[in-house]
Amino acid sequence: MANFEKIDNIRDIRRSLGMNQVEFWSKLGVTQSGGSRYESGRNMPKPVRELLRLVHIEKVDLGKVNSDDLAVASMLKERNPELYEQLLVEARSRKS
């Protein structure tokens, strides 16, 4: 999924995760009432949409990631793309 791509099925995503609105939206720093409006079709700001994609679709635990982690991943990808790709394939296979 491309960054900032429109997400049409927010309510379906939340329900498939077995979460109520408070649980789902609080992980993004959004109130239940704000999340309810997004689920009802109100336009979602791009930063919120990207957080939703990272947390609930890509399953990134934001509490475990910091700027150093992102910097190291970026450097690895740039300096040793073969190893980066190998590790990426391995990481994806672990999720399956």
Side-chain angles (χ1 to χ4, degrees), residues 73 76-77 80-95:
L76 175 62
K77 187 176 185 178
N80 194 334
E82 296 84 16
L83 178 57
Y84 178 85
E85 287 298 321
Q86 177 185 350
L87 293 171
L88 184 60
V89 167
E90 184 178 330
R92 286 179 177 161
S93 71
R94 286 183 179 186
K95 289 195 308 189

Side-chain angles (χ1 to χ4, degrees), residues 26-82:
S26 67
K27 288 186 174 221
L28 310 180
V30 174
T31 64
Q32 178 276 324
S33 60
S36 178
R37 286 191 292 273
Y38 298 144
E39 289 185 21
S40 297
R42 178 176 263 178
N43 191 31
M44 185 184 311
K46 290 179 182 180
V48 175
R49 193 166 54 240
E50 187 66 1
L51 278 172
L52 189 151
R53 184 188 69 79
L54 287 171
V55 171
H56 293 303
I57 297 172
E58 298 294 331
K59 307 289 190 226
V60 174
D61 183 348
L62 296 178
K64 294 182 179 180
V65 179
N66 63 41
S67 61
D68 290 339
D69 296 326
L70 297 175
V72 169
S74 179
M75 288 170 34
L76 175 62
K77 187 176 185 178
E78 180 182 314
R79 294 181 186 177
N80 194 334
E82 296 84 16

